[in-house]
């Protein structure tokens, strides 16, 4: 009896936790020196994690790659952003994550902020699924 009650609670609770909640793709400004367009003298780098990833994807112990990225390369300032999107494996297994095409569309929408700044170049550092998303950009 106790086991069946526990199973019923778990069966009810897991979908409640994993229900697709509004968790849009976010574009986090890590370091931005150019605040108004045109930024044609600056470059920018965007970090994009993979499936089941997060901001921690680009951390190694106490070192954080987006934060530690050089502020200049040569004589050009480099602005740094990080894209985040929902990618929990459990949610994917239950079909509760957005479709790949929907994630790509949202990422492209979020990156419009960067595109409108008219940077000299936009580079991406991506892991796993993040690389697929970037390739679709």
């Amino acid at each position: 009896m106790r086991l069946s009650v526990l199973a019923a609670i778990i069966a009810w609770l897991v979908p409640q936790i994993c229900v697709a909640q509004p968790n849009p793709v976010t574009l986090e400004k890590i370091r931005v020196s150019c605040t108004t367009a045109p930024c044609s003298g600056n470059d920018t780098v965007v970090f994009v994690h993979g499936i089941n990833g997060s901001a921690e994807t680009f951390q190694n112990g106490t070192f954080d790659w987006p934060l530690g990225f050089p502020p200049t390369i040569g004589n050009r300032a480099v602005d740094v952003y990080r894209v985040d999107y929902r990618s929990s494996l459990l949610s994917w297994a239950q079909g509760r994550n957005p479709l790949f095409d929907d994630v790509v569309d949202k990422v492209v929408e979020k990156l419009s902020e960067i595109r409108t700044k008219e940077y000299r170049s936009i580079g991406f550092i991506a892991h796993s699924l993040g690389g697929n998303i970037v390739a679709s950009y």
Side-chain angles (χ1 to χ4, degrees):
M1 175 68 176
R2 287 184 185 180
L3 186 57
S4 62
V5 170
L6 181 59
I9 291 171
I10 291 172
W12 176 84
L13 185 59
V14 169
Q16 303 306 314
I17 293 170
C18 299
V19 166
Q21 298 178 12
N23 186 9
V25 171
T26 59
L27 179 66
E28 181 182 358
K29 297 174 184 176
I30 304 298
R31 183 184 59 245
V32 178
S33 61
C34 184
T35 56
T36 58
C39 299
S40 55
N42 292 28
D43 296 311
T44 191
V45 173
V46 181
F47 287 80
V48 186
H49 67 77
I51 193 165
N52 210 32
S54 67
E56 293 175 0
T57 297
F58 299 106
Q59 295 174 351
N60 185 4
T62 59
F63 187 77
D64 185 303
W65 283 98
L67 290 173
F69 202 85
T72 59
I73 295 178
N75 61 350
R76 295 191 186 277
V78 179
D79 291 348
V80 180
Y81 295 84
R82 180 174 35 225
V83 169
D84 191 27
Y85 59 95
R86 184 175 61 242
S87 64
S88 167
L89 282 175
L90 182 57
S91 292
W92 275 71
Q94 294 184 344
R96 298 194 187 276
N97 267 354
L99 297 173
F100 177 78
D101 290 344
D102 294 339
V103 172
V104 169
D105 290 346
K106 294 283 187 192
V107 168
V108 169
E109 180 182 313
K110 288 294 181 179
L111 291 176
S112 67
E113 174 185 334
I114 294 174
R115 287 192 315 274
T116 60
K117 287 188 172 184
E118 302 174 19
Y119 283 101
R120 183 182 83 93
S121 69
I122 301 172
F124 293 93
I125 298 175
H127 177 259
S128 184
L129 184 63
N132 296 343
I133 290 169
V134 168
S136 297
Y137 174 71

